[in-house]
Amino acid sequence: MNFKNRYLFLFSALAMVLFVACKEDPEPSFFEPELSVMPAENMHRTGATISGMIHAQNNSVVEKFGIEYSEYENFSVTHEVVANTSPSEELFTVHLTDLDAGTAYYYRAFAFSGYSTAYSNHLAFSTPKMSAPVFGATSVNDVSYTSASFQSS
């Protein structure tokens, strides 16, 4: 083999090794957990409780799972709350905190396998608006220079 053919052969061999060796790892076909979420509960101005279901198929790999929520229906900006239970328990509950009053939130369950993330359908809820307390008829009793008592119905 002459000098030019050697380089051509080495270049071809190297290109073939790179082509075969750099193939992306495929996502495992067995990773298909079934996910769902329930309607939000215990909503208040700055929080809510969300429950979800995860049914991991045999041999499913689930590194983490929980609830993802956003103020945007397309989930362009998200927050994640990871459940602190085992996926074998199937039902999980997370508590969302530090929410804004009077705001609509969209949420869905997620499960991450290490390769990709699976999602459930999404639901929505709104936190109550900030409002002043409402009192019924109020009467003032026992007024003195230092105190008074109020009664509301």
Side-chain angles (χ1 to χ4, degrees), residues 18-133:
L18 288 175
F19 179 73
V20 172
C22 292
K23 187 174 137 185
E24 186 176 316
D25 290 338
E27 180 178 333
S29 61
F30 54 80
F31 176 66
E32 296 178 0
E34 295 174 21
L35 298 163
S36 62
V37 287
M38 281 65 145
E41 297 178 323
N42 304 324
M43 292 164 295
H44 51 89
R45 289 188 301 262
T46 61
T49 302
I50 308 291
S51 295
M53 295 279 293
I54 179 170
H55 178 69
Q57 309 286 334
N58 293 339
N59 299 324
S60 287
V61 175
V62 178
E63 288 187 9
K64 67 178 181 176
F65 64 98
I67 297 294
E68 180 181 75
Y69 68 96
S70 176
E71 292 179 36
Y72 306 98
E73 190 172 9
N74 66 0
F75 290 86
S76 59
V77 177
T78 63
H79 306 280
E80 192 177 270
V81 180
V82 176
N84 57 4
T85 60
S86 165
S88 64
E89 293 181 32
E90 291 196 0
L91 178 65
F92 63 93
T93 300
V94 299
H95 304 284
L96 307 184
T97 59
D98 299 323
L99 302 178
D100 294 326
T103 304
Y105 288 96
Y106 302 90
Y107 64 96
R108 61 188 177 186
F110 75 90
F112 179 68
S113 70
Y115 287 96
S116 66
T117 305
Y119 297 100
S120 71
N121 58 313
H122 74 270
L123 296 177
F125 70 93
S126 294
T127 53
K129 293 180 181 180
M130 296 288 267
S131 60

